[in-house]
């Protein structure tokens, strides 16, 4: 099998993993080295559903000794298999970087032979990039659950970000769909990475040139819709993971049926993209707006309203806390007003020191008055002419356009292999564009 066939198979197999991000790490380029990483993000291209495509997102192999029911690469699924060597991974990454196709690498893998052997192969690939090619660009690598702690520690010294995918929200779901995995086997490396990052932070305070361990932190992914787990269960797990393991991000992946199994939704089931979107919004509220999971959902109402974003839904259910007087309300309360974000709340706090704010001033500060008008007053008065009825309020807060956006029939990750583009290339040009060393 030639390199192009391998690349096509292994980039296609990697597209279902959304837990990749290229922000959070700062490393400047140096003479004699290639690439750099920028803390505010090096991504410039996104697929229609928001997934980053500026990294070379690839598996080392799609062969796997595990049989997770939801995974297209499970050992019982009859798909084409391929595997790269560490040298091939390093060569391809450098070829794509030099052609300005990518700015970094997202590397994961199926489990070859054992977790330890797979991790050794990942380490070998990253050592070639960092040491032989002097590549200083962004690298995100998957930590393999079950691998030896010493191997995971070596891997973290070579990567900018590490992730351990928790995949399913409960132990019961893992037992049914991923019998080779357990919650403990996933949380153990997650805890190791957290401890190593903390230890490394202390070392960097003492020694300026101490080596960095996963300086961009760690992330994880949860699959949404493959199991009966509720949004309430998912959000509580999310909150716990952020608090205990100090994760940078938790990614939610709407389950796309790719294999037939009696334990999974049928193949004609649409991915729950709007539900995924609501969970991302709730995640943002936990991380930046001071909300707790128990405030947004409970056992009586365990799932988000698809027609209302979580913040609006909370505000409607807590009308006794509104209206808020924007000229006196504390910052924490301003953040809970629909239509007021983190930046606009900060601007309000700063601007009202110089004078009293009115609705016109709020609009200039970035407040979305279409939503905020129902929950605020300026100088003790509501917006002139505003009529607040239950139906008026709900109709104004529900976004029909947003609902239609997330019900599109097909949203696909952009592929490196655009048939129309390749067909337009002359044979000689095609060969020159995709020639690899090694």
């Amino acid at each position: 099998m030639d390199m192009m066939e391998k690349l096509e198979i292994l980039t296609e197999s990697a597209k279902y993993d959304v837990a990749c991000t290229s922000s959070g790490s700062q490393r400047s380029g140096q003479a004699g080295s290639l690439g750099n990483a920028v803390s505010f993000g090096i991504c410039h291209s996104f697929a229609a559903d928001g997934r980053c495509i500026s990294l070379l997102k690839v598996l080392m192999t799609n062969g796997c000794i595990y049989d997770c029911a939801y995974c297209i690469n499970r050992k019982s699924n009859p798909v084409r298999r391929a595997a790269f060597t560490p040298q091939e991974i390093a060569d391809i990454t450098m070829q794509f970087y030099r052609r300005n196709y990518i700015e970094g690498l997202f590397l994961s893998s199926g489990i070859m032979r054992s977790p330890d052997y797979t991790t050794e192969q990942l380490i070998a690939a990253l050592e070639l990039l960092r040491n032989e090619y002097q590549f200083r660009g962004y690298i995100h690598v998957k930590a393999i659950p079950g691998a030896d702690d010493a191997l995971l520690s070596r891997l973290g010294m070579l990567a900018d970000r590490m992730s351990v995918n928790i995949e399913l929200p409960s132990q019961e779901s893992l037992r049914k769909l991923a019998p080779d995995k357990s919650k403990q086997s996933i949380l153990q490396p997650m805890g190791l990475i957290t401890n190593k990052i903390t230890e490394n932070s202390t070392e960097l305070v003492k020694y300026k040139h101490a080596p960095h361990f996963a300086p961009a932190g760690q992330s994880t992914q949860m699959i949404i819709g493959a199991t009966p787990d509720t949004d309430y269960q998912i959000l509580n797990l999310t909150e716990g993971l952020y608090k205990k393991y100090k994760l940078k991000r938790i990614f939610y992946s709407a389950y796309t049926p790719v294999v037939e199994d009696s334990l999974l939704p049928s193949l004609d089931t649409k991915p729950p993209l709007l539900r995924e979107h609501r969970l991302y919004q709730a995640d943002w509220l936990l991380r930046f707006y001071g909300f707790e999971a128990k405030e947004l959902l409970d056992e009586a109402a365990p799932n988000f309203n698809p027609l209302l974003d979580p913040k609006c839904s909370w505000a409607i259910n807590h009308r006794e806390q509104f209206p808020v007087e924007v000229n006196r309300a504390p910052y924490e309360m301003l953040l809970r007003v629909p239509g007021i974000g983190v930046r606009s709340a900060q601007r309000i706090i700063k601007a009202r020191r110089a004078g009293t704010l009115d609705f016109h001033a709020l609009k200039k500060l970035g407040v979305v008055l279409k939503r905020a008008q129902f929950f605020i007053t300026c100088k003790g008065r509501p917006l002139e002419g505003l009529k607040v009825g239950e139906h008026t309020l709900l109709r104004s807060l529900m976004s029909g356009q947003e609902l239609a956006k997330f019900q599109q029939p097909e949203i696909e990750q952009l592929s490196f292999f655009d048939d129309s583009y390749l067909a337009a290339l002359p044979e000689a040009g095609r060969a020159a564009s995709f020639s690899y060393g090694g």
Side-chain angles (χ1 to χ4, degrees):
M1 185 180 293
D2 65 24
M3 294 285 283
M4 282 300 297
E5 286 181 284
K6 288 184 181 182
L7 189 61
E8 186 168 5
I9 291 169
L10 295 174
T11 53
E12 179 70 17
S13 297
K15 75 177 185 179
Y16 297 102
D17 192 333
V18 302
C20 88
T21 179
S22 59
S23 60
S25 186
Q26 182 80 28
R27 187 188 302 103
S28 59
Q30 294 180 355
S33 62
L34 291 170
N36 63 358
V38 184
S39 60
F40 54 80
I42 60 171
C43 300
H44 304 297
S45 261
F46 294 87
D49 57 353
R51 287 165 170 77
C52 169
I53 58 172
S54 65
L55 305 179
L56 172 57
K57 186 177 179 182
V58 68
L59 299 182
M60 179 158 275
T61 179
N62 66 340
C64 192
I65 62 174
Y66 292 167
D67 201 28
C68 304
Y70 52 82
C71 183
I72 193 172
N73 301 314
R74 67 183 187 182
K75 67 179 180 182
S76 61
N77 195 33
V79 297
R80 295 174 69 199
R81 305 289 181 177
F84 281 129
T85 65
Q87 186 67 56
E88 287 172 336
I89 285 288
D91 288 342
I92 288 171
T93 301
M94 297 314 302
Q95 291 286 345
F96 271 73
Y97 180 82
R98 286 172 175 140
R99 288 173 170 81
N100 203 30
Y101 295 159
I102 61 165
E103 295 174 276
L105 172 67
F106 175 90
L107 182 61
S108 185
S109 181
I111 310 300
M112 302 177 278
R113 302 187 193 176
S114 69
D116 283 352
Y117 178 79
T118 306
T119 304
E120 288 169 354
Q121 295 300 297
L122 295 173
I123 290 171
L126 299 197
E127 284 181 339
L128 282 170
L129 281 168
R130 294 301 196 201
N131 301 329
E132 183 174 325
Y133 290 103
Q134 294 296 304
F135 181 69
R136 295 177 61 81
Y138 183 88
I139 296 178
H140 181 156
V141 68
K142 278 301 175 64
I144 306 298
D148 186 79
D149 288 356
L151 291 174
L152 292 175
S153 297
R154 284 177 60 193
L155 192 62
M157 300 304 290
L158 297 164
D160 294 278
R161 174 163 291 181
M162 298 180 74
S163 55
V164 187
N165 282 0
I166 201 163
E167 302 290 14
L168 300 175
S170 66
Q171 177 62 47
E172 182 181 355
S173 296
L174 278 171
R175 187 168 54 251
K176 286 182 179 179
L177 300 181
D180 300 301
K181 297 179 181 178
S182 68
K183 191 174 181 179
Q184 182 57 34
S185 70
I186 295 170
L187 295 181
Q188 185 174 335
M190 199 177 282
L192 172 73
I193 295 168
T194 301
N195 292 336
K196 286 290 183 181
I197 291 174
T198 303
E199 291 172 9
N200 187 238
S201 299
T202 304
E203 291 172 358
L204 288 169
V205 171
K206 296 179 180 178
Y207 310 105
K208 181 179 179 182
H209 298 292
H212 292 255
F213 183 94
Q218 68 169 318
S219 58
T220 191
Q221 168 184 273
M222 276 189 271
I223 298 172
I224 308 303
T227 61
D229 299 292
T230 64
D231 294 343
Y232 178 62
Q233 291 173 287
I234 293 168
L235 205 62
N236 273 288
L237 175 58
T238 293
E239 186 175 60
L241 291 173
Y242 278 131
K243 287 181 178 179
K244 185 172 182 178
Y245 298 104
K246 299 178 175 60
L247 301 186
K248 291 294 184 180
R249 287 291 305 274
I250 294 176
F251 293 85
Y252 308 94
S253 177
Y255 175 68
T256 302
V258 290
V259 290
E260 188 70 59
D261 194 288
S262 60
L263 297 174
L264 294 168
S266 63
L267 290 176
D268 59 355
T269 303
K270 297 291 185 184
L273 296 174
L274 186 55
R275 183 184 179 194
E276 174 193 291
H277 180 58
R278 294 296 178 225
L279 284 165
Y280 272 117
Q281 290 176 318
D283 182 283
W284 208 258
L285 295 181
L286 296 181
R287 294 165 62 210
F288 301 111
Y289 287 75
F291 281 86
E292 295 182 356
K294 64 183 179 182
E295 295 181 273
L296 299 172
L297 292 171
D298 54 37
E299 292 183 357
N303 292 302
F304 288 114
N305 184 337
L307 299 178
L308 279 176
D309 74 68
K311 191 176 179 183
C312 288
S313 184
W314 177 85
I316 287 176
N317 291 328
H318 293 81
R319 295 293 301 279
E320 74 281 357
Q321 299 194 32
F322 299 100
V324 168
E325 171 53 53
V326 293
N327 288 291
R328 295 193 302 272
Y331 174 73
E332 293 75 17
M333 193 60 206
L334 288 175
L335 286 178
R336 295 187 170 230
V337 177
I340 297 181
V342 173
R343 288 186 180 181
S344 51
Q346 292 171 345
R347 290 168 183 161
I348 288 171
I349 296 295
K350 184 177 180 180
R352 70 188 188 185
R353 293 173 188 156
T356 305
L357 303 177
D358 57 18
F359 285 97
H360 181 68
L362 291 180
K363 190 172 183 179
K364 285 188 172 182
L365 293 174
V367 174
V368 182
L369 286 180
K370 180 182 177 181
R371 297 188 176 197
Q373 62 183 339
F374 301 105
F375 303 98
I376 60 173
T377 58
C378 288
K379 305 176 187 177
R381 297 180 181 180
L383 184 66
E384 186 177 353
L386 178 67
K387 296 180 180 180
V388 184
E390 195 67 27
H391 294 296
T392 304
L393 179 60
L394 288 173
R395 191 165 54 247
S396 297
L397 295 177
M398 286 181 182
S399 176
Q401 289 182 346
E402 185 178 58
L403 180 61
K405 176 182 176 183
F406 286 91
Q407 287 181 332
Q408 292 178 5
E410 294 291 339
I411 296 182
E412 297 183 356
Q413 177 173 302
L414 187 63
S415 171
F416 281 114
F417 302 94
D418 186 334
D419 293 338
S420 60
Y421 170 73
L422 291 175
L425 283 175
E427 288 297 327
R430 209 176 306 173
S433 295
F434 298 100
S435 59
Y436 302 100

